[in-house]
Amino acid sequence: MAAVGKFPVSVGHESSLSAALEAQIYLQSRLTSTSETTSFRSIPIIDLTKSFSSSLTARQEVARQINEACTTVGFFYVTAHGIPEEVCNNVLNLAHRFFHELPQSSKEAIHMKHSNHFRGYEPAAFSSVNDFTSKETKEAFNWGYESGLDPTGGDGKYVELDGTSEGAVNQWPQESELPGFYNGISKYYGEVLQLSRHLFRLFALSLALPEDYFETLMTHPGGIARLIRYPPSINPKPLSALNEDEEIGLGAHTDYECFTLLLQDSNPGLEILSPDGHWISAQPVNGGIVVNVGDFLMRWTNGVYKSTVHRVVNRTAKERYSIPLFFSINYDETVETLPSCLSEDNPSKFPPITAGRYVLDRLALTVKTGKY
């Protein structure tokens, strides 16, 4: 069975829409069912130092840790990842500046309702990851891959989620209103994009595949990123099964793409659902970036790697900022189950899927209009 290839658009759309709906059902089942046989109470921290070694054995050692984290928790922190501290601090400061310095009228001018690709400013409660069952307090600014943001320059073949090649579709604030914004975003995005490619090589080793297995699939990758602001809690409450959470920053969900890299400030808020029904706080780790498996990679690995339910609840009297990058392969690729995740006793559980269309159909379920 081939692992990658181009897929007819009509079949790809049918399968991706079906997969998007199946993912919603999976989410609801995870929120209502528990398993006492598998659980976790902490999130692994993986030092990436050896992953940059010229020694294959050293890199495989890191890959083994990634395999263990992805088969048990679905989340891990990476430290010694190579992104300069000042670049991380600067982009978090840019997030604060965007929400506090840019006039509301300028935000409205780049509102994501003007985009066919979910790019631009997203006010609170405009979208919901769990069918608008709870009002989400977060607001965001969203953008996606551009060859000018890619340190490699890309290969000139980038296509959008729907397979079209429209050129630049991101909506950026005016430089005169927010000086240095695009340049600062570009620096961080370039760094985290290259880290994502590095991690994909480690993912390949972790799955007993050649280290360069995914290399040709990330020459013009999907890479949606967000600046997210979570307002201070009106009534801060500690994480407890006894407390009913009334202020949900971002509702319980799983991520859509291959994996996510999350930069967060020093304020906690990210919470991860253990299979036995307990919410675990993902406290910020100094110099660390959170990595988690998305639904696309879970499907690609035939369920071997876990896409874990998580949410954000700001339980403090301070603002919280986070910056996720949702990394995918080239959006025009279609995939079948990875060969190392198949056997006679474990045949493929999932049909082929087109990368971009799958994400687009998932995003369409988060807005009331379903526009795309």
Side-chain angles (χ1 to χ4, degrees), residues 63 76 81 94 110 137 159 185 207 215 236 258 265 279 295 309 332-333:
F76 56 96
H81 45 68
L94 287 175
I110 56 172
T137 63
V159 298
I185 290 292
L207 291 162
E215 206 70 23
C258 291
D265 67 13
W279 288 101
D295 292 346
V309 176
D332 53 343
E333 299 286 354

Side-chain angles (χ1 to χ4, degrees), residues 64-141:
R64 179 194 58 77
Q65 296 176 58
I66 290 175
N67 178 277
E68 183 175 352
C70 292
T71 55
T72 55
V73 180
F75 271 78
F76 56 96
Y77 300 93
V78 292
T79 57
H81 45 68
I83 301 181
E85 182 180 5
E86 63 267 23
V87 173
C88 294
N89 291 339
N90 183 57
V91 76
L92 286 167
N93 181 56
L94 287 175
H96 183 274
R97 288 182 57 202
F98 177 88
F99 294 107
H100 285 277
E101 295 181 18
L102 193 66
Q104 188 61 34
S105 59
S106 298
K107 293 175 187 172
E108 291 297 327
I110 56 172
H111 193 296
M112 62 182 287
K113 66 186 178 184
H114 304 307
S115 168
N116 290 325
H117 301 92
F118 301 87
R119 309 288 167 74
Y121 171 64
E122 178 184 336
F126 184 78
S127 68
S128 172
V129 292
N130 53 11
D131 300 327
F132 294 89
T133 54
S134 59
K135 182 179 179 180
E136 297 179 353
T137 63
K138 57 97 175 63
E139 58 178 333
F141 171 73

Side-chain angles (χ1 to χ4, degrees), residues 29-71:
S29 70
R30 282 288 291 109
L31 291 171
T32 56
S33 63
T34 60
S35 170
E36 296 297 335
T37 58
T38 58
S39 65
F40 56 83
R41 291 294 181 269
S42 62
I43 302 165
I45 300 175
I46 299 177
D47 185 328
L48 291 185
T49 301
K50 291 184 178 180
S51 74
F52 296 102
S53 168
S54 59
S55 166
L56 176 59
T57 301
R59 299 196 300 274
Q60 288 173 327
E61 181 182 336
V62 178
R64 179 194 58 77
Q65 296 176 58
I66 290 175
N67 178 277
E68 183 175 352
C70 292
T71 55

Side-chain angles (χ1 to χ4, degrees), residues 142 175 189 193 219 261:
N142 311 314
E175 174 69 14
Y189 188 86
L193 198 67
T219 53
L261 281 75

Side-chain angles (χ1 to χ4, degrees), residues 168-181:
V169 299
N170 290 322
Q171 301 190 94
W172 299 103
Q174 295 294 320
E175 174 69 14
S176 59
E177 292 190 308
L178 212 56
F181 182 81

Side-chain angles (χ1 to χ4, degrees), residues 137-285:
T137 63
K138 57 97 175 63
E139 58 178 333
F141 171 73
N142 311 314
W143 76 96
Y145 178 90
E146 292 179 4
S147 58
L149 299 174
D150 187 345
T152 72
D155 61 1
K157 299 179 181 179
Y158 178 72
V159 298
E160 267 301 333
L161 292 163
D162 57 1
T164 60
S165 302
E166 296 184 13
V169 299
N170 290 322
Q171 301 190 94
W172 299 103
Q174 295 294 320
E175 174 69 14
S176 59
E177 292 190 308
L178 212 56
F181 182 81
Y182 182 84
N183 185 54
I185 290 292
S186 178
K187 286 182 179 178
Y188 177 74
Y189 188 86
E191 293 276 1
V192 78
L193 198 67
Q194 291 297 78
L195 176 59
S196 298
R197 288 177 167 129
H198 179 73
L199 283 171
F200 232 146
R201 297 177 192 111
L202 295 171
F203 274 112
L205 290 176
S206 77
L207 291 162
L209 295 167
E211 191 171 14
D212 63 353
Y213 186 86
F214 300 112
E215 206 70 23
T216 60
L217 306 180
M218 48 184 181
T219 53
H220 49 273
I224 296 172
R226 315 180 78 191
L227 307 179
I228 308 179
R229 173 187 176 268
Y230 298 97
S233 174
I234 298 172
N235 183 24
K237 298 178 182 178
L239 174 58
S240 170
L242 301 178
N243 289 336
E244 181 176 351
D245 296 312
E246 300 169 349
E247 301 173 78
I248 303 295
L250 184 60
H253 66 286
T254 53
D255 290 346
Y256 310 152
E257 309 213 20
C258 291
F259 55 88
T260 304
L261 281 75
L262 177 73
L263 176 67
Q264 51 184 346
D265 67 13
S266 59
N267 296 315
L270 176 63
E271 297 172 356
I272 301 166
L273 185 62
S274 175
D276 61 355
H278 287 81
W279 288 101
I280 311 301
S281 177
Q283 294 286 327
V285 169

